[in-house]
Structure formats: structure tokens, C-alpha cells
Amino acid sequence: MLNLERLRTLDALARHGSVSGAADGLHVTTSAVSQQMAKLEREIGQPLLAKNGRGVRLTDAGRLLADHAARIISQVELAQSDVEAQRGCAIGQLRIGAFPTAMRGLLPHTLNSLRADHPELRVRVTEREPEQSMLAVVRGDLDLAVAIDWHNRRMPVPAELSRTHLLDDSVDIAMPAGHPLADRARISLADFADDDWISWNEGQFCHEWLVFTLRGLDVEPRIAHIAEEHHTQLAFVEAGLGVCVAPRLGRGPVPPGVRLVPVSDSLRRHVYVVWRADADRRPSIRAAVSALRKTAAQL
């Protein structure tokens, strides 16, 4: 009899491509992954992993069983969804991923609402970038992901995911109080052709959007500094080290030496939530989506 948890470990190895990646996805240690795989190999009676440099790879038998494991796990998840739907209440564990400003601006009130309305539902929240969290939902590592894209640069959503719009988040440009444009009622991104920018990490969707948008205005961006957190970016702005995009969702206090000016280009971020389409029947999914929409409507 094949053990379901060991099949989950094999499935995680196949999806993540490494023992450490599987351990992160399953929230266990690498030692636990190795132990589960050793037990599964003894049950199967043949090797499932082979050394590959400093890492490992699946053997032919490992790939074959991993394909079956993915289908078995999918069927188990469907069965759990059906049982939960028949019971008609949100119970068990729900795993949500969200980008940083949604973590601050959306999730606290949403989690309080879920705790009050569904006391048997245990929610675990992880801060991740939108691309990472959507991929984690596809893989089954997360149940829901709160993601964003921009009005002029949309993020592809995998076909196997359902999606619901939550809100449109307007953004301003943050600049030092002594900046020549600080007293303007509105500005355009093209006005900052000669300014240094504080941006997000290279490779992140928002950083790529900023570069794409400025170049669309025939402005070659001068990215002077990279900072992950918006509060860090604003601290750099206050120090006179450049300007940055300042979304309104989850913004928090603004340093006294920073001025925020609306953008005439009407820059907007689309905030939405995604989940696996085959989990539509789960009351916990529906409860979380409803709570997120309620919180978003109050902003």
C-alpha cells in the first residue's frame, strides 16, 4: 500500500526539482524529505532518485511514479473539496500567499473576519511576490494567492486558475519635499526624465513594469537604488536620493520630508485573488474570497 504523504513528497520533488525546494514547499526539513523518499524506495523496491552533481534527479521509475502521484493527489484534493462542500462549512487549513502591500492593507482585516465567521478554519499566510504565489497555487503549495498587475502590463494567469477582481489601487509619485515638482497638483512620469529612481528588485514584476512604462514614454530609466520595502524606498526619497512609485494600498505613514503627487497618467494596479479552478466547491475558498472582497470594498 503506497503512503499518501510519501507520494506528496515525491510530487514535491518532481515539481521543485530539488530536495531543498521540496522541503520549502512542504514546510519540512530536508532530512524529513530524504527519510520519506528512502521509505518510499523500500516500499517500491527500486531506486526513485539518482545523484546528479551535488543534487538529485528522478530515475525513470521515479518519474513514472511521480506522474501517478500528481494524479492521485489531485483526486484526493477533489475528494476533500467534495466532502467539505457537502458539509457546507469552512473548516480545516487554508494557505494564502500575498504580496507585501496586500499583506499590510488587505490581510489583517480579512483574517479577523474569517476568524470571527469561521472559527474552525485555520489560515496560514505567506508573503510572496505575485508570480511566486500564483505558481505555488498551481503546484498546490498554496490554496489562494492575492496578486497584482498593472493597467498597461497584465500578468498572465494560468488556465487552471480561477480569478476574482478585488480593487484598483491608484499610485502616486513620492519625491523629496524640495523637489521642483513637489507643489504640482498632478504630474506625468515623463516629467522625471532626469531623476534617479528607487525601484523594486530587478526581475520582479513591478520593477519590469516601471522600466517598461518609462521606456514607453521615451524615458530611459535611471535606476539608482533597489529596495524591496516601500518604507525603505520612502526613506531614500526623504534623503534626496531619488523618486519612487508609491501605491496607496497598505501605504502607512509617510516621512515628513516626502511629498506625494498624483499621476496624470492614471497609473493603477489591479489587485485580484486566484485559486485552483477545481477547488471552486470548497466552502473555505468561497469564504476567503468573500472576506477579501468585503475588505477591499471598505478601502
Side-chain angles (χ1 to χ4, degrees), residues 248-260:
R248 296 179 186 178
L249 177 65
R251 179 183 286 167
V254 177
V258 172
R259 295 293 179 268
L260 298 172

Side-chain angles (χ1 to χ4, degrees), residues 30 58 79 90 182 224 253 275:
T30 55
L58 293 179
W275 63 95

